[in-house]
Amino acid sequence: MSKGAYTQVPSLWFADGDIIIHCGQKEYRIHQFTLTSQCTVFEDMTLIAQELNGQNQEPQELELQDDSEELTTFLRGLHEPSYFPSPPEKVPFITLKNIFRLSHKYDCQILRKRALQHISSICPINQDHFFTIITDENVSVKAFFEDSSNELVLLSLCREAEIHWALPSIFYRGDLQTILECMHKHVSNVAEIAQVLKPGVACSSQKKCLSARVRSSNNLLQRFEDQTDRHFLFAAQPENFSASLCGTCRSKDVNVMSDITRRNWAKLPSLYNIPYSWKDLATQRSKDL
């Protein structure tokens, strides 16, 4: 493509820049040090180009085959800290996607780590935090996934970059079928819930609690049969337990359900053939962040 065919990106065109990047129909003139000091791949690329072309006073030129919109986003994130801030500041999904993809490709650790911090904020591995994110009405999280294709894009990126600790959350959010199959495999858990939720030894109102317990058990079984509520087998939610129960029975039931959901939670990665335990995933996440 001739030089006149490129369109300069004003925010990434510096008169004193010493490297010009061509990508698609766009071109960028930036400072080599900013690029190479943060991205090892670009450091290697510029060294090879210098060896081939020798030293001269003209800006070095690179031709990249990336999507120009992705590259623009990535370079802005590299040059403008406020453009891609760290959490808890929110960023659009498209910004996260573009920067995560190219920061991984070009080994830009500062942006890659920041992108993973954003992913971690919506893909937690702690059980309580996980279901708070999944089930609450958090507007920013819902907006992040308002386009269902975003889940597939994020899944693909995390698989490519081997970010295993984010996968259970992404799968769970988008793959209802596997969860429903899991629920049927765990029908014994539902039976266990119905059988174990019986008045405690110290129940202060057995007749009243028995009636409330029947209603609670029927509610749980109905939610299972409806095949639309995937949460109650993985998270002990307060609404599962009738307020009509006496304090002793309610406390006992909460403990029973918590134990069942903890065991189901421990199995969640294996549902998606992820060959790591939550402990392993937590270790990987700590290294990444």
Side-chain angles (χ1 to χ4, degrees), residues 171-203:
F171 274 126
Y172 186 95
R173 185 185 296 276
D175 182 15
L176 179 59
Q177 184 57 41
T178 297
I179 292 296
L180 293 178
E181 291 173 1
C182 164
M183 291 171 73
H184 283 289
K185 291 178 183 177
H186 286 74
V187 66
S188 60
N189 287 153
V190 181
E192 181 182 9
I193 292 170
Q195 292 173 13
V196 175
L197 300 187
K198 57 186 178 181
V201 175
C203 177

PDB file of all heavy atoms in Angstrom, residues 171-203:
ATOM      1  N   PHE A 171     -18.146 -20.206  31.838  1.00  0.00           N
ATOM      2  CA  PHE A 171     -18.990 -21.338  31.462  1.00  0.00           C
ATOM      3  C   PHE A 171     -20.323 -21.287  32.201  1.00  0.00           C
ATOM      4  O   PHE A 171     -21.386 -21.451  31.597  1.00  0.00           O
ATOM      5  CB  PHE A 171     -18.284 -22.656  31.797  1.00  0.00           C
ATOM      6  CG  PHE A 171     -17.348 -23.151  30.736  1.00  0.00           C
ATOM      7  CD1 PHE A 171     -16.024 -23.443  31.032  1.00  0.00           C
ATOM      8  CD2 PHE A 171     -17.784 -23.348  29.431  1.00  0.00           C
ATOM      9  CE1 PHE A 171     -15.166 -23.913  30.053  1.00  0.00           C
ATOM     10  CE2 PHE A 171     -16.935 -23.819  28.448  1.00  0.00           C
ATOM     11  CZ  PHE A 171     -15.613 -24.106  28.762  1.00  0.00           C
ATOM     12  N   TYR A 172     -20.251 -21.060  33.501  1.00  0.00           N
ATOM     13  CA  TYR A 172     -21.462 -21.076  34.319  1.00  0.00           C
ATOM     14  C   TYR A 172     -22.429 -19.991  33.878  1.00  0.00           C
ATOM     15  O   TYR A 172     -23.641 -20.209  33.816  1.00  0.00           O
ATOM     16  CB  TYR A 172     -21.084 -20.872  35.787  1.00  0.00           C
ATOM     17  CG  TYR A 172     -22.258 -21.025  36.739  1.00  0.00           C
ATOM     18  CD1 TYR A 172     -22.510 -22.244  37.355  1.00  0.00           C
ATOM     19  CD2 TYR A 172     -23.090 -19.957  37.012  1.00  0.00           C
ATOM     20  CE1 TYR A 172     -23.586 -22.390  38.227  1.00  0.00           C
ATOM     21  CE2 TYR A 172     -24.172 -20.088  37.877  1.00  0.00           C
ATOM     22  CZ  TYR A 172     -24.415 -21.308  38.487  1.00  0.00           C
ATOM     23  OH  TYR A 172     -25.470 -21.445  39.335  1.00  0.00           O
ATOM     24  N   ARG A 173     -21.883 -18.831  33.556  1.00  0.00           N
ATOM     25  CA  ARG A 173     -22.739 -17.711  33.159  1.00  0.00           C
ATOM     26  C   ARG A 173     -23.479 -18.010  31.855  1.00  0.00           C
ATOM     27  O   ARG A 173     -24.636 -17.630  31.688  1.00  0.00           O
ATOM     28  CB  ARG A 173     -21.895 -16.453  32.982  1.00  0.00           C
ATOM     29  CG  ARG A 173     -22.695 -15.201  32.689  1.00  0.00           C
ATOM     30  CD  ARG A 173     -21.762 -14.043  32.422  1.00  0.00           C
ATOM     31  NE  ARG A 173     -20.962 -13.698  33.573  1.00  0.00           N
ATOM     32  CZ  ARG A 173     -21.391 -12.900  34.559  1.00  0.00           C
ATOM     33  NH1 ARG A 173     -22.594 -12.387  34.516  1.00  0.00           N
ATOM     34  NH2 ARG A 173     -20.605 -12.626  35.572  1.00  0.00           N
ATOM     35  N   GLY A 174     -22.818 -18.691  30.935  1.00  0.00           N
ATOM     36  CA  GLY A 174     -23.402 -18.835  29.614  1.00  0.00           C
ATOM     37  C   GLY A 174     -23.920 -20.210  29.249  1.00  0.00           C
ATOM     38  O   GLY A 174     -24.745 -20.344  28.355  1.00  0.00           O
ATOM     39  N   ASP A 175     -23.438 -21.260  29.948  1.00  0.00           N
ATOM     40  CA  ASP A 175     -23.765 -22.619  29.526  1.00  0.00           C
ATOM     41  C   ASP A 175     -24.813 -23.234  30.443  1.00  0.00           C
ATOM     42  O   ASP A 175     -24.501 -23.988  31.361  1.00  0.00           O
ATOM     43  CB  ASP A 175     -22.489 -23.471  29.529  1.00  0.00           C
ATOM     44  CG  ASP A 175     -22.746 -24.892  29.051  1.00  0.00           C
ATOM     45  OD1 ASP A 175     -23.815 -25.133  28.460  1.00  0.00           O
ATOM     46  OD2 ASP A 175     -21.893 -25.761  29.281  1.00  0.00           O
ATOM     47  N   LEU A 176     -26.074 -22.902  30.205  1.00  0.00           N
ATOM     48  CA  LEU A 176     -27.150 -23.414  31.048  1.00  0.00           C
ATOM     49  C   LEU A 176     -27.315 -24.918  30.886  1.00  0.00           C
ATOM     50  O   LEU A 176     -27.617 -25.625  31.845  1.00  0.00           O
ATOM     51  CB  LEU A 176     -28.458 -22.697  30.696  1.00  0.00           C
ATOM     52  CG  LEU A 176     -29.709 -23.139  31.469  1.00  0.00           C
ATOM     53  CD1 LEU A 176     -29.506 -22.937  32.958  1.00  0.00           C
ATOM     54  CD2 LEU A 176     -30.925 -22.373  30.983  1.00  0.00           C
ATOM     55  N   GLN A 177     -27.082 -25.441  29.700  1.00  0.00           N
ATOM     56  CA  GLN A 177     -27.353 -26.849  29.438  1.00  0.00           C
ATOM     57  C   GLN A 177     -26.502 -27.760  30.324  1.00  0.00           C
ATOM     58  O   GLN A 177     -26.999 -28.719  30.910  1.00  0.00           O
ATOM     59  CB  GLN A 177     -27.097 -27.183  27.959  1.00  0.00           C
ATOM     60  CG  GLN A 177     -27.448 -28.624  27.579  1.00  0.00           C
ATOM     61  CD  GLN A 177     -28.897 -28.967  27.880  1.00  0.00           C
ATOM     62  OE1 GLN A 177     -29.799 -28.166  27.653  1.00  0.00           O
ATOM     63  NE2 GLN A 177     -29.141 -30.155  28.416  1.00  0.00           N
ATOM     64  N   THR A 178     -25.216 -27.444  30.434  1.00  0.00           N
ATOM     65  CA  THR A 178     -24.345 -28.273  31.263  1.00  0.00           C
ATOM     66  C   THR A 178     -24.784 -28.229  32.724  1.00  0.00           C
ATOM     67  O   THR A 178     -24.765 -29.244  33.420  1.00  0.00           O
ATOM     68  CB  THR A 178     -22.880 -27.807  31.151  1.00  0.00           C
ATOM     69  OG1 THR A 178     -22.448 -27.988  29.803  1.00  0.00           O
ATOM     70  CG2 THR A 178     -21.970 -28.616  32.071  1.00  0.00           C
ATOM     71  N   ILE A 179     -25.188 -27.031  33.182  1.00  0.00           N
ATOM     72  CA  ILE A 179     -25.649 -26.913  34.555  1.00  0.00           C
ATOM     73  C   ILE A 179     -26.919 -27.732  34.773  1.00  0.00           C
ATOM     74  O   ILE A 179     -27.075 -28.418  35.787  1.00  0.00           O
ATOM     75  CB  ILE A 179     -25.898 -25.437  34.921  1.00  0.00           C
ATOM     76  CG1 ILE A 179     -24.565 -24.687  34.955  1.00  0.00           C
ATOM     77  CG2 ILE A 179     -26.602 -25.317  36.265  1.00  0.00           C
ATOM     78  CD1 ILE A 179     -23.616 -25.170  36.032  1.00  0.00           C
ATOM     79  N   LEU A 180     -27.820 -27.705  33.808  1.00  0.00           N
ATOM     80  CA  LEU A 180     -29.053 -28.471  33.934  1.00  0.00           C
ATOM     81  C   LEU A 180     -28.754 -29.969  33.971  1.00  0.00           C
ATOM     82  O   LEU A 180     -29.352 -30.723  34.735  1.00  0.00           O
ATOM     83  CB  LEU A 180     -30.011 -28.144  32.783  1.00  0.00           C
ATOM     84  CG  LEU A 180     -30.581 -26.720  32.783  1.00  0.00           C
ATOM     85  CD1 LEU A 180     -31.468 -26.514  31.563  1.00  0.00           C
ATOM     86  CD2 LEU A 180     -31.341 -26.440  34.057  1.00  0.00           C
ATOM     87  N   GLU A 181     -27.813 -30.409  33.133  1.00  0.00           N
ATOM     88  CA  GLU A 181     -27.409 -31.810  33.172  1.00  0.00           C
ATOM     89  C   GLU A 181     -26.813 -32.154  34.522  1.00  0.00           C
ATOM     90  O   GLU A 181     -27.056 -33.228  35.089  1.00  0.00           O
ATOM     91  CB  GLU A 181     -26.403 -32.082  32.050  1.00  0.00           C
ATOM     92  CG  GLU A 181     -27.012 -32.020  30.661  1.00  0.00           C
ATOM     93  CD  GLU A 181     -25.967 -32.126  29.558  1.00  0.00           C
ATOM     94  OE1 GLU A 181     -24.772 -32.257  29.896  1.00  0.00           O
ATOM     95  OE2 GLU A 181     -26.345 -32.075  28.371  1.00  0.00           O
ATOM     96  N   CYS A 182     -26.029 -31.233  35.037  1.00  0.00           N
ATOM     97  CA  CYS A 182     -25.435 -31.424  36.352  1.00  0.00           C
ATOM     98  C   CYS A 182     -26.525 -31.550  37.413  1.00  0.00           C
ATOM     99  O   CYS A 182     -26.455 -32.375  38.321  1.00  0.00           O
ATOM    100  CB  CYS A 182     -24.512 -30.256  36.704  1.00  0.00           C
ATOM    101  SG  CYS A 182     -24.091 -30.139  38.440  1.00  0.00           S
ATOM    102  N   MET A 183     -27.561 -30.725  37.311  1.00  0.00           N
ATOM    103  CA  MET A 183     -28.650 -30.761  38.291  1.00  0.00           C
ATOM    104  C   MET A 183     -29.325 -32.127  38.294  1.00  0.00           C
ATOM    105  O   MET A 183     -29.653 -32.667  39.352  1.00  0.00           O
ATOM    106  CB  MET A 183     -29.654 -29.652  37.991  1.00  0.00           C
ATOM    107  CG  MET A 183     -29.109 -28.249  38.259  1.00  0.00           C
ATOM    108  SD  MET A 183     -30.197 -26.943  37.653  1.00  0.00           S
ATOM    109  CE  MET A 183     -31.532 -27.050  38.858  1.00  0.00           C
ATOM    110  N   HIS A 184     -29.496 -32.711  37.125  1.00  0.00           N
ATOM    111  CA  HIS A 184     -30.115 -34.034  37.057  1.00  0.00           C
ATOM    112  C   HIS A 184     -29.188 -35.096  37.653  1.00  0.00           C
ATOM    113  O   HIS A 184     -29.640 -36.032  38.301  1.00  0.00           O
ATOM    114  CB  HIS A 184     -30.469 -34.384  35.605  1.00  0.00           C
ATOM    115  CG  HIS A 184     -31.694 -33.689  35.131  1.00  0.00           C
ATOM    116  ND1 HIS A 184     -32.950 -33.998  35.579  1.00  0.00           N
ATOM    117  CD2 HIS A 184     -31.859 -32.647  34.259  1.00  0.00           C
ATOM    118  CE1 HIS A 184     -33.843 -33.209  35.003  1.00  0.00           C
ATOM    119  NE2 HIS A 184     -33.210 -32.379  34.204  1.00  0.00           N
ATOM    120  N   LYS A 185     -27.888 -34.936  37.452  1.00  0.00           N
ATOM    121  CA  LYS A 185     -26.940 -35.870  38.048  1.00  0.00           C
ATOM    122  C   LYS A 185     -26.955 -35.753  39.569  1.00  0.00           C
ATOM    123  O   LYS A 185     -26.609 -36.690  40.278  1.00  0.00           O
ATOM    124  CB  LYS A 185     -25.524 -35.593  37.523  1.00  0.00           C
ATOM    125  CG  LYS A 185     -25.326 -35.942  36.063  1.00  0.00           C
ATOM    126  CD  LYS A 185     -23.921 -35.587  35.605  1.00  0.00           C
ATOM    127  CE  LYS A 185     -23.748 -35.870  34.121  1.00  0.00           C
ATOM    128  NZ  LYS A 185     -22.401 -35.465  33.632  1.00  0.00           N
ATOM    129  N   HIS A 186     -27.330 -34.567  40.043  1.00  0.00           N
ATOM    130  CA  HIS A 186     -27.326 -34.323  41.473  1.00  0.00           C
ATOM    131  C   HIS A 186     -28.725 -34.410  42.078  1.00  0.00           C
ATOM    132  O   HIS A 186     -29.008 -33.819  43.102  1.00  0.00           O
ATOM    133  CB  HIS A 186     -26.726 -32.942  41.772  1.00  0.00           C
ATOM    134  CG  HIS A 186     -25.245 -32.903  41.596  1.00  0.00           C
ATOM    135  ND1 HIS A 186     -24.653 -32.894  40.358  1.00  0.00           N
ATOM    136  CD2 HIS A 186     -24.234 -32.880  42.493  1.00  0.00           C
ATOM    137  CE1 HIS A 186     -23.343 -32.845  40.501  1.00  0.00           C
ATOM    138  NE2 HIS A 186     -23.057 -32.841  41.786  1.00  0.00           N
ATOM    139  N   VAL A 187     -29.603 -35.178  41.421  1.00  0.00           N
ATOM    140  CA  VAL A 187     -30.945 -35.312  41.976  1.00  0.00           C
ATOM    141  C   VAL A 187     -30.888 -35.905  43.369  1.00  0.00           C
ATOM    142  O   VAL A 187     -31.740 -35.636  44.225  1.00  0.00           O
ATOM    143  CB  VAL A 187     -31.833 -36.171  41.040  1.00  0.00           C
ATOM    144  CG1 VAL A 187     -31.324 -37.600  40.992  1.00  0.00           C
ATOM    145  CG2 VAL A 187     -33.296 -36.134  41.495  1.00  0.00           C
ATOM    146  N   SER A 188     -29.865 -36.707  43.631  1.00  0.00           N
ATOM    147  CA  SER A 188     -29.714 -37.276  44.973  1.00  0.00           C
ATOM    148  C   SER A 188     -29.494 -36.173  45.996  1.00  0.00           C
ATOM    149  O   SER A 188     -29.887 -36.308  47.163  1.00  0.00           O
ATOM    150  CB  SER A 188     -28.539 -38.258  45.009  1.00  0.00           C
ATOM    151  OG  SER A 188     -27.332 -37.602  44.652  1.00  0.00           O
ATOM    152  N   ASN A 189     -28.856 -35.066  45.572  1.00  0.00           N
ATOM    153  CA  ASN A 189     -28.679 -33.948  46.488  1.00  0.00           C
ATOM    154  C   ASN A 189     -30.015 -33.357  46.887  1.00  0.00           C
ATOM    155  O   ASN A 189     -30.233 -32.973  48.032  1.00  0.00           O
ATOM    156  CB  ASN A 189     -27.826 -32.853  45.854  1.00  0.00           C
ATOM    157  CG  ASN A 189     -26.356 -33.225  45.768  1.00  0.00           C
ATOM    158  OD1 ASN A 189     -25.655 -32.748  44.916  1.00  0.00           O
ATOM    159  ND2 ASN A 189     -25.902 -34.084  46.671  1.00  0.00           N
ATOM    160  N   VAL A 190     -30.924 -33.245  45.900  1.00  0.00           N
ATOM    161  CA  VAL A 190     -32.237 -32.689  46.187  1.00  0.00           C
ATOM    162  C   VAL A 190     -32.988 -33.607  47.149  1.00  0.00           C
ATOM    163  O   VAL A 190     -33.639 -33.148  48.092  1.00  0.00           O
ATOM    164  CB  VAL A 190     -33.046 -32.497  44.890  1.00  0.00           C
ATOM    165  CG1 VAL A 190     -34.407 -31.900  45.189  1.00  0.00           C
ATOM    166  CG2 VAL A 190     -32.277 -31.607  43.925  1.00  0.00           C
ATOM    167  N   ALA A 191     -32.877 -34.921  46.895  1.00  0.00           N
ATOM    168  CA  ALA A 191     -33.513 -35.880  47.795  1.00  0.00           C
ATOM    169  C   ALA A 191     -32.904 -35.770  49.190  1.00  0.00           C
ATOM    170  O   ALA A 191     -33.602 -35.842  50.202  1.00  0.00           O
ATOM    171  CB  ALA A 191     -33.342 -37.299  47.246  1.00  0.00           C
ATOM    172  N   GLU A 192     -31.591 -35.580  49.227  1.00  0.00           N
ATOM    173  CA  GLU A 192     -30.900 -35.441  50.506  1.00  0.00           C
ATOM    174  C   GLU A 192     -31.409 -34.214  51.256  1.00  0.00           C
ATOM    175  O   GLU A 192     -31.630 -34.249  52.466  1.00  0.00           O
ATOM    176  CB  GLU A 192     -29.395 -35.323  50.260  1.00  0.00           C
ATOM    177  CG  GLU A 192     -28.572 -35.197  51.537  1.00  0.00           C
ATOM    178  CD  GLU A 192     -27.083 -35.033  51.233  1.00  0.00           C
ATOM    179  OE1 GLU A 192     -26.731 -34.852  50.057  1.00  0.00           O
ATOM    180  OE2 GLU A 192     -26.295 -35.072  52.191  1.00  0.00           O
ATOM    181  N   ILE A 193     -31.592 -33.127  50.490  1.00  0.00           N
ATOM    182  CA  ILE A 193     -32.105 -31.899  51.102  1.00  0.00           C
ATOM    183  C   ILE A 193     -33.479 -32.153  51.702  1.00  0.00           C
ATOM    184  O   ILE A 193     -33.763 -31.806  52.848  1.00  0.00           O
ATOM    185  CB  ILE A 193     -32.181 -30.768  50.057  1.00  0.00           C
ATOM    186  CG1 ILE A 193     -30.777 -30.358  49.627  1.00  0.00           C
ATOM    187  CG2 ILE A 193     -32.923 -29.562  50.630  1.00  0.00           C
ATOM    188  CD1 ILE A 193     -30.764 -29.423  48.427  1.00  0.00           C
ATOM    189  N   ALA A 194     -34.337 -32.790  50.913  1.00  0.00           N
ATOM    190  CA  ALA A 194     -35.707 -33.017  51.367  1.00  0.00           C
ATOM    191  C   ALA A 194     -35.749 -33.927  52.592  1.00  0.00           C
ATOM    192  O   ALA A 194     -36.598 -33.766  53.471  1.00  0.00           O
ATOM    193  CB  ALA A 194     -36.527 -33.628  50.233  1.00  0.00           C
ATOM    194  N   GLN A 195     -34.833 -34.917  52.660  1.00  0.00           N
ATOM    195  CA  GLN A 195     -34.830 -35.865  53.766  1.00  0.00           C
ATOM    196  C   GLN A 195     -34.184 -35.284  55.025  1.00  0.00           C
ATOM    197  O   GLN A 195     -34.662 -35.493  56.146  1.00  0.00           O
ATOM    198  CB  GLN A 195     -34.078 -37.144  53.360  1.00  0.00           C
ATOM    199  CG  GLN A 195     -34.797 -37.955  52.293  1.00  0.00           C
ATOM    200  CD  GLN A 195     -33.954 -39.112  51.795  1.00  0.00           C
ATOM    201  OE1 GLN A 195     -32.941 -39.452  52.395  1.00  0.00           O
ATOM    202  NE2 GLN A 195     -34.374 -39.708  50.695  1.00  0.00           N
ATOM    203  N   VAL A 196     -33.096 -34.552  54.815  1.00  0.00           N
ATOM    204  CA  VAL A 196     -32.354 -34.068  55.970  1.00  0.00           C
ATOM    205  C   VAL A 196     -33.031 -32.880  56.626  1.00  0.00           C
ATOM    206  O   VAL A 196     -32.914 -32.654  57.818  1.00  0.00           O
ATOM    207  CB  VAL A 196     -30.911 -33.683  55.550  1.00  0.00           C
ATOM    208  CG1 VAL A 196     -30.159 -33.047  56.716  1.00  0.00           C
ATOM    209  CG2 VAL A 196     -30.168 -34.926  55.082  1.00  0.00           C
ATOM    210  N   LEU A 197     -33.767 -32.100  55.840  1.00  0.00           N
ATOM    211  CA  LEU A 197     -34.423 -30.934  56.407  1.00  0.00           C
ATOM    212  C   LEU A 197     -35.640 -31.351  57.233  1.00  0.00           C
ATOM    213  O   LEU A 197     -36.779 -31.231  56.813  1.00  0.00           O
ATOM    214  CB  LEU A 197     -34.845 -29.968  55.294  1.00  0.00           C
ATOM    215  CG  LEU A 197     -33.720 -29.423  54.417  1.00  0.00           C
ATOM    216  CD1 LEU A 197     -34.266 -28.357  53.486  1.00  0.00           C
ATOM    217  CD2 LEU A 197     -32.591 -28.852  55.255  1.00  0.00           C
ATOM    218  N   LYS A 198     -35.350 -31.889  58.393  1.00  0.00           N
ATOM    219  CA  LYS A 198     -36.403 -32.302  59.323  1.00  0.00           C
ATOM    220  C   LYS A 198     -36.183 -31.581  60.636  1.00  0.00           C
ATOM    221  O   LYS A 198     -35.078 -31.093  60.910  1.00  0.00           O
ATOM    222  CB  LYS A 198     -36.376 -33.807  59.507  1.00  0.00           C
ATOM    223  CG  LYS A 198     -35.037 -34.354  59.997  1.00  0.00           C
ATOM    224  CD  LYS A 198     -35.049 -35.865  60.010  1.00  0.00           C
ATOM    225  CE  LYS A 198     -33.692 -36.416  60.463  1.00  0.00           C
ATOM    226  NZ  LYS A 198     -33.672 -37.887  60.462  1.00  0.00           N
ATOM    227  N   PRO A 199     -37.219 -31.474  61.447  1.00  0.00           N
ATOM    228  CA  PRO A 199     -37.085 -30.702  62.684  1.00  0.00           C
ATOM    229  C   PRO A 199     -35.883 -31.136  63.510  1.00  0.00           C
ATOM    230  O   PRO A 199     -35.588 -32.324  63.634  1.00  0.00           O
ATOM    231  CB  PRO A 199     -38.407 -30.982  63.415  1.00  0.00           C
ATOM    232  CG  PRO A 199     -39.366 -31.283  62.320  1.00  0.00           C
ATOM    233  CD  PRO A 199     -38.570 -32.021  61.287  1.00  0.00           C
ATOM    234  N   GLY A 200     -35.172 -30.147  64.043  1.00  0.00           N
ATOM    235  CA  GLY A 200     -34.038 -30.444  64.889  1.00  0.00           C
ATOM    236  C   GLY A 200     -34.472 -30.959  66.242  1.00  0.00           C
ATOM    237  O   GLY A 200     -35.638 -30.845  66.635  1.00  0.00           O
ATOM    238  N   VAL A 201     -33.521 -31.537  66.959  1.00  0.00           N
ATOM    239  CA  VAL A 201     -33.806 -32.110  68.272  1.00  0.00           C
ATOM    240  C   VAL A 201     -34.355 -31.047  69.223  1.00  0.00           C
ATOM    241  O   VAL A 201     -35.254 -31.297  70.023  1.00  0.00           O
ATOM    242  CB  VAL A 201     -32.527 -32.737  68.873  1.00  0.00           C
ATOM    243  CG1 VAL A 201     -32.797 -33.233  70.286  1.00  0.00           C
ATOM    244  CG2 VAL A 201     -32.038 -33.884  67.987  1.00  0.00           C
ATOM    245  N   ALA A 202     -33.805 -29.829  69.093  1.00  0.00           N
ATOM    246  CA  ALA A 202     -34.212 -28.748  70.002  1.00  0.00           C
ATOM    247  C   ALA A 202     -35.295 -27.854  69.406  1.00  0.00           C
ATOM    248  O   ALA A 202     -35.464 -26.716  69.825  1.00  0.00           O
ATOM    249  CB  ALA A 202     -32.982 -27.911  70.378  1.00  0.00           C
ATOM    250  N   CYS A 203     -36.034 -28.372  68.404  1.00  0.00           N
ATOM    251  CA  CYS A 203     -37.080 -27.568  67.761  1.00  0.00           C
ATOM    252  C   CYS A 203     -38.107 -27.111  68.791  1.00  0.00           C
ATOM    253  O   CYS A 203     -38.610 -27.913  69.591  1.00  0.00           O
ATOM    254  CB  CYS A 203     -37.763 -28.397  66.678  1.00  0.00           C
ATOM    255  SG  CYS A 203     -39.143 -27.542  65.878  1.00  0.00           S
TER     256      CYS A 203
END
